[in-house]
Amino acid sequence: MRRYGLVLMMCLSMPWAWSACRQPLRVALEDWPPYVHVGANGQPVGLEVELLQAVAREAGCTVKFLGNIPRQRRMALFKLGKLDVMYAASDTPERRTFALFSVSYRDEVVRVMADASNPPQPLPASFSTILERRLPLLVPHGGFFGAEYQQLMPQLSEGHLLLPFEEYQQGVEMLRVGRARLIMGDEVALQFLTSRHDDGIKLVPLPFVASRGPVHYMLNKMTLAPADKAEIDKAITKVIRGGERARILARYGVQD
């Protein structure tokens, strides 16, 4: 009995016994700088990469980054149980049927911006104005971008005003060659890409915010349990309160 108790105490003291992960967390890459992309050395880099690695370390997990997988295939693999985590996810009732959601780990701001070299005048102050003036708009393929956009999206689409792009670099290139004078997307990603563009393209934000809200880690119900979510939630809280999130965001010019 004493021996059994000693073995039990030794097992409980081992770090893996408390880990949220029984195997590495599988995460897909994408080309979405400065959040995630493949660096010059072939390794994943970016704000989201650093944040997830910090949370994983705190939770006693490791992360296995897979290749650059297109958006629609990422979701299909997730639903098949072949991906464990998706980052920067919005918590929706439909997704809760197959996923758990962590507590929020950062905020996301989506804005509409204009090519500063040729902006519509005056600058539209709402999606309603964009629709009324029939201004083509470059938009990410998929996602939630606020209540007004959601309401007007059918009319914008029927009017052939929405020009979707899969990756932000593609969207910026479409803006550069004049496919439209307006582009919508994550504020940080758009400013990052355009500030590093060879042609020095500049953006001016429209005087309204499309959406502002928290993002979460979407955890696969097939491979992770509520207890895993609880450990990841604790890790997120520690990363935030300990100041590590602020330090990571600051490295990418983002305020906490």
Side-chain angles (χ1 to χ4, degrees):
M1 188 69 179
R2 286 182 182 176
R3 184 177 179 184
Y4 174 79
L6 178 62
V7 171
L8 178 61
M9 289 178 64
M10 289 175 64
C11 290
L12 291 176
S13 68
M14 293 179 182
W16 55 260
W18 296 102
S19 170
C21 313
R22 288 163 294 282
Q23 59 186 15
L25 297 171
R26 297 165 298 173
V27 183
L29 289 175
E30 61 179 301
D31 188 21
W32 188 32
Y35 292 109
V36 55
H37 59 109
V38 178
N41 62 356
Q43 297 300 310
V45 295
L47 188 156
E48 285 288 357
V49 172
E50 291 191 39
L51 273 177
L52 180 56
Q53 288 174 330
V55 170
R57 281 194 303 271
E58 197 65 53
C61 307
T62 58
V63 182
K64 180 179 181 181
F65 288 101
L66 307 181
N68 189 345
I69 300 173
R71 177 186 56 83
Q72 290 184 334
R73 180 158 171 74
R74 285 199 302 272
M75 186 60 74
L77 289 173
F78 187 90
K79 290 181 177 180
L80 289 172
K82 295 184 178 181
L83 293 175
D84 302 304
V85 179
M86 294 183 73
Y87 43 77
S90 297
D91 185 349
T92 67
E94 187 272 331
R95 288 176 172 178
R96 280 183 172 263
T97 61
F98 57 84
L100 301 169
F101 286 86
S102 75
V103 295
S104 171
Y105 64 90
R106 69 174 179 85
D107 286 340
E108 177 183 67
V109 178
V110 174
R111 298 197 71 132
V112 179
M113 298 190 179
D115 181 350
S117 68
N118 186 29
Q121 293 294 345
L123 288 175
S126 66
F127 286 110
S128 297
T129 309
I130 291 172
L131 177 61
E132 289 167 7
R133 291 169 58 183
R134 299 192 57 78
L135 297 170
L137 174 64
L138 295 160
V139 296
H141 197 294
F144 178 78
F145 305 114
E148 187 193 15
Y149 177 77
Q150 200 72 15
Q151 180 182 1
L152 295 178
M153 185 170 63
Q155 293 170 260
L156 289 163
S157 181
E158 289 169 8
H160 304 288
L161 300 178
L162 300 182
L163 304 175
F165 57 86
E166 280 291 339
E167 296 182 347
Y168 273 66
Q169 186 63 59
Q170 178 192 14
V172 169
E173 178 63 17
M174 292 168 73
L175 183 74
R176 189 185 70 82
V177 299
R179 293 287 302 279
R181 290 187 288 169
L182 299 176
I183 185 169
M184 179 171 68
D186 179 275
E187 181 178 39
V188 173
L190 286 175
Q191 294 286 21
F192 180 88
L193 278 173
T194 54
S195 68
R196 286 156 177 78
H197 203 280
D198 291 342
D199 289 357
I201 188 170
K202 302 296 182 185
L203 295 178
V204 56
L206 270 57
F208 71 98
V209 173
S211 68
R212 181 194 304 271
V215 294
H216 311 258
Y217 294 121
M218 189 162 70
L219 311 174
N220 200 316
K221 277 185 176 181
M222 295 175 66
T223 60
L224 296 170
D228 299 323
K229 168 188 148 46
E231 290 299 316
I232 290 170
D233 285 348
K234 289 179 189 176
I236 291 170
T237 301
K238 289 181 180 178
V239 167
I240 293 172
R241 291 180 178 174
E244 190 168 6
R245 179 184 69 173
R247 290 189 290 273
I248 292 170
L249 294 180
R251 284 200 287 273
Y252 294 89
V254 181
Q255 290 187 338
D256 194 4

